Amino acid sequence: MGLITPDLGLLFWTGLVFVLLLVILTKFIWKPILTSVNAREQKISDALELAEKTKAEMVALQASNENLLKEARAERDAIVKDAKEVATEMVEKAKAEAKAEANKIVESARATINTEKTAAIAELKNQVAAISLEIAEKIIRGELSSDEKQKALAEKMAGDINLN
Amino acid sequence: MSLIFSAKRFFSLLVAILVFSSSFASDHHSEEAGIAKREFNVREMIMHHISDAHEWHLWGGHHDAVSIYLPIILIDGGLKTFSSSHFYHGKPLEAKDTTSKKEVAYVAGVGPATGYAMFEEEIYKLNSEGVLEINAGKVVDAESPFDFSITKNVLSLFMGAVLILLILSNVARFYKKNGPVAPKGLAKYLEVLIVMVRDDIAKANIGEHKYKKYVPYLLTIFFFIFINNLLGLVPFLPGGANLTGNLTVTLFLAVCTLLVTLVSANKNYWLHIFAMPGVPKPLLIIMIPIELVGILTKPFALMVRLFANMTAGHIIVLALVSIIFINQNAAWGGLSVPMALFISVLELLVAFLQAFLFAMLSALFIGAAVEEAHH
């Protein structure tokens, strides 16, 4: 059998075996293998896509969380600020009230003192008047104790009236 | 890749020189000294190993050889089947070559093989005088029956096919049982090749939309060539036949690719052959024959490439081993064994590469045939 002369018998057997092999392999072997491999590749690509999507979602979620956190912080700050303001106000108000009360107390104390003073002065005046009256009575009594004296006084008074 | 090819060509040349010079030298030597006629003949040994045969030689030489005699199937006015031992243990005859005037040995069959003779593994009918006439190394004036024998190559083909089925059915079973999961065991290794054929060969060359139909063909051709290439590298049964280095086999595979190409060719493909767009009409007279020849040269190149690469690989390894026998000294094994080992390892690569290339180029030709016009 020459090296480069085609051989009919071998050609026949090669053809037979190859065609049978092609049919059997295509039907029973390549098909299930390729189906599985394709299905797996699909599965993997799906999974990757899902992972990518989830990742994007996570990023979005994180961003929204961040926003939420920021808002919450801002709100907290606002609340704290308000509270501080209110507290300050309250303190101010309390202070003002206290001051007003104190002023009032001082005022009323002053009024009381004034009243007392007036009363004291009035009493003093009364006493002074009474004492003066007593003194005057005593003096008048002294003046009027003799006739001459009564006469001198009456004259003097009459003189005063004349002068007027 | 081109480096490997050129290295291979270089080796082939080297070996060819080595083989021919040494065989001439030994002929010369034997004539001069007149010693034993059956001296070690490298050329004969190598040709014996790379050619087809009707027996599977296991070991031993000449009279104490141990062989498996393969069945002979002849169609010659009816089906005739018998063992090839009726030739190998037949009646040795000699004919005088009418051109070279040398005695040429052949065997006439005995028993059921009576009436047939085998010369260089080819079966002929004996002429009316019961002999063969040989002229210039060829049998003349003899009818040859249709020989559908299970030869060494055919048996190797069967074993290769069984091996392919065993290996791949194991892989298919894995996927059937487990569904779309990560591959394990044999499937892990073969899936790489299967996916490579699908993506890098079919999809890359045929195109995204049309490749699916051709994947089974390309996979089959790839694994057929790859497994048989590897089997050919095993130096003993079940390997050792030079199946993918046989021109008949590569011819068949190339014709398959040609047929697939022609059957799937679309209008655009034929238009490019018979009326190349943009080419002036008178020029078509030259272009059409060139294009028609081009249809055939592509598969022809496929055929020759696989044949030559595999045969060359076998020849190199055999020639390197022959160094020991030419020099009749085992010490030469120190040179020949490492070199043969190196070439054998290279052949493992070539076995894959040639299968890949055959499938790749088939896909390329199919891709060109199904390509849509884009101008």
Side-chain angles (χ1 to χ4, degrees):
Chain A
M1 291 188 177
L3 199 59
I4 52 164
T5 42
D7 180 61
L8 185 70
L10 185 57
L11 187 66
F12 166 76
W13 289 114
T14 309
L16 185 73
V17 168
F18 186 79
V19 169
L20 279 177
L21 210 56
L22 182 62
V23 170
I24 295 170
L25 288 179
T26 303
K27 198 155 179 190
F28 299 109
I29 290 181
W30 301 137
K31 218 169 140 191
I33 291 178
L34 287 173
T35 313
S36 289
V37 170
N38 286 342
R40 198 187 60 218
E41 276 171 6
Q42 191 62 45
K43 210 165 124 187
I44 289 170
S45 81
D46 283 355
L48 282 177
E49 213 171 294
L50 189 70
E52 205 64 39
K53 224 190 261 170
T54 314
K55 211 163 137 193
E57 264 167 32
M58 280 293 285
V59 169
L61 211 66
Q62 219 158 18
S64 82
N65 271 357
E66 202 76 34
N67 270 354
L68 222 62
L69 211 63
K70 218 187 265 174
E71 269 168 32
R73 216 171 272 150
E75 207 164 326
R76 187 200 64 190
D77 286 350
I79 289 169
V80 167
K81 204 173 141 201
D82 273 3
K84 233 179 233 168
E85 263 169 30
V86 170
T88 318
E89 212 170 289
M90 267 165 82
V91 168
E92 286 303 315
K93 209 170 154 193
K95 256 186 203 165
E97 261 171 27
K99 213 173 187 177
E101 193 75 20
N103 283 348
K104 220 163 136 192
I105 290 167
V106 169
E107 208 58 45
S108 88
R110 200 171 280 154
T112 311
I113 289 167
N114 270 350
T115 319
E116 302 261 309
K117 202 166 107 186
T118 318
I121 289 171
E123 208 184 287
L124 201 64
K125 269 183 185 164
N126 282 345
Q127 269 179 19
V128 169
I131 292 167
S132 305
L133 221 59
E134 222 172 291
I135 294 169
E137 205 186 84
K138 271 178 190 159
I139 293 170
I140 292 167
R141 251 177 233 220
E143 290 281 340
L144 295 176
S145 51
S146 59
D147 286 340
E148 297 128 48
K149 276 182 185 174
Q150 276 174 6
K151 220 180 181 175
L153 187 63
E155 269 171 23
K156 197 192 171 198
M157 275 180 176
D160 280 351
I161 294 162
N162 279 350
L163 275 167
N164 279 347
Chain B
M1 259 186 332
S2 63
L3 188 73
I4 292 163
F5 288 136
S6 56
K8 184 144 199 183
R9 243 178 256 136
F10 169 70
F11 273 116
S12 317
L13 190 72
L14 196 76
V15 165
I17 293 166
L18 197 90
V19 168
F20 284 111
S21 58
S22 59
S23 62
F24 286 145
S26 63
D27 280 352
H28 185 65
H29 183 241
S30 62
E31 268 172 42
E32 214 170 297
I35 53 165
K37 194 175 151 202
R38 277 292 196 175
E39 203 183 320
F40 180 73
N41 183 334
V42 187
R43 187 176 177 277
E44 200 176 87
M45 186 279 276
I46 289 176
M47 287 308 284
H48 168 77
H49 273 90
I50 61 171
S51 306
D52 207 355
H54 288 93
E55 63 172 347
W56 198 305
H57 179 234
L58 297 178
W59 58 80
H62 309 307
H63 296 295
D64 49 342
V66 178
S67 297
I68 296 170
Y69 296 109
L70 300 169
I72 297 222
I73 302 167
L74 298 178
I75 295 181
D76 182 29
L79 196 68
K80 289 180 187 171
T81 55
F82 49 86
S83 161
S84 66
S85 67
H86 297 295
F87 282 121
Y88 291 106
H89 294 295
K91 194 168 63 172
L93 293 175
E94 285 197 336
K96 202 175 191 113
D97 192 314
T98 39
T99 311
S100 64
K101 307 285 178 203
K102 271 188 190 166
E103 293 293 323
V104 185
Y106 66 96
V107 280
V110 293
T114 310
Y116 297 103
M118 191 160 74
F119 172 64
E120 292 188 339
E121 293 294 335
E122 204 79 62
I123 295 171
Y124 300 94
K125 267 170 121 170
L126 291 167
N127 62 16
S128 49
E129 291 157 37
V131 291
L132 284 183
E133 274 180 41
I134 292 166
N135 184 11
K138 286 207 169 69
V139 174
V140 288
D141 293 333
E143 280 180 65
S144 31
F146 291 120
D147 182 3
F148 288 98
S149 305
I150 307 300
T151 59
K152 188 179 175 186
N153 275 341
V154 176
L155 186 62
S156 169
L157 175 77
F158 290 164
M159 291 190 293
V162 169
L163 195 62
I164 290 170
L165 284 176
L166 280 179
I167 291 171
L168 290 171
S169 63
N170 179 301
V171 176
R173 216 174 309 127
F174 172 83
Y175 286 109
K176 268 183 202 154
K177 205 164 77 183
N178 299 302
V181 294
K184 276 203 187 77
L186 204 52
K188 189 162 68 181
Y189 298 96
L190 288 192
E191 194 191 292
V192 181
L193 295 177
I194 294 169
V195 169
M196 178 199 76
V197 172
R198 189 195 61 180
D199 292 347
D200 299 338
I201 295 180
K203 206 188 268 179
N205 291 301
I206 301 176
E208 193 78 41
H209 305 294
K210 293 171 175 167
Y211 79 96
K212 279 209 171 94
K213 202 164 61 172
Y214 302 102
V215 171
Y217 172 71
L218 293 171
L219 277 171
T220 309
I221 219 154
F222 175 79
F223 278 96
F224 182 83
I225 296 174
F226 186 41
I227 300 284
N228 280 315
N229 279 352
L230 290 180
L231 261 187
L233 292 180
V234 180
F236 42 80
L237 204 76
N242 185 24
L243 184 69
T244 43
N246 186 297
L247 201 68
T248 311
V249 175
T250 64
L251 170 77
F252 175 80
L253 295 174
V255 167
C256 279
T257 290
L258 176 66
L259 288 179
V260 171
T261 310
L262 292 183
V263 166
S264 48
N266 59 11
K267 219 173 81 189
N268 185 42
Y269 177 74
W270 295 117
L271 192 74
H272 272 76
I273 285 169
F274 290 111
M276 178 79 84
V279 172
K281 282 266 177 321
L283 219 60
L284 286 178
I285 302 167
I286 312 169
M287 289 297 284
I288 290 172
I290 291 175
E291 289 289 340
L292 284 176
V293 169
I295 295 176
L296 294 177
T297 50
K298 288 172 190 166
F300 185 81
L302 277 185
M303 170 182 88
V304 172
R305 182 181 297 110
L306 183 57
F307 159 73
N309 270 285
M310 296 326 292
T311 302
H314 284 233
I315 291 175
I316 297 168
V317 173
L318 290 166
L320 288 174
V321 173
S322 295
I323 295 175
I324 303 167
F325 299 96
I326 293 167
N327 293 298
Q328 304 277 324
N329 188 344
W332 279 95
L335 173 71
S336 123
V337 169
M339 282 166 77
L341 180 67
F342 169 72
I343 296 295
S344 293
V345 173
L346 188 69
E347 279 305 303
L348 283 177
L349 173 69
V350 172
F352 170 78
L353 201 66
Q354 288 306 318
F356 176 81
L357 265 180
F358 201 106
M360 180 82 172
L361 291 170
S362 294
L364 202 69
F365 300 156
I366 295 168
V370 299
E371 195 184 17
E372 294 297 342
H374 45 62
H375 25 205

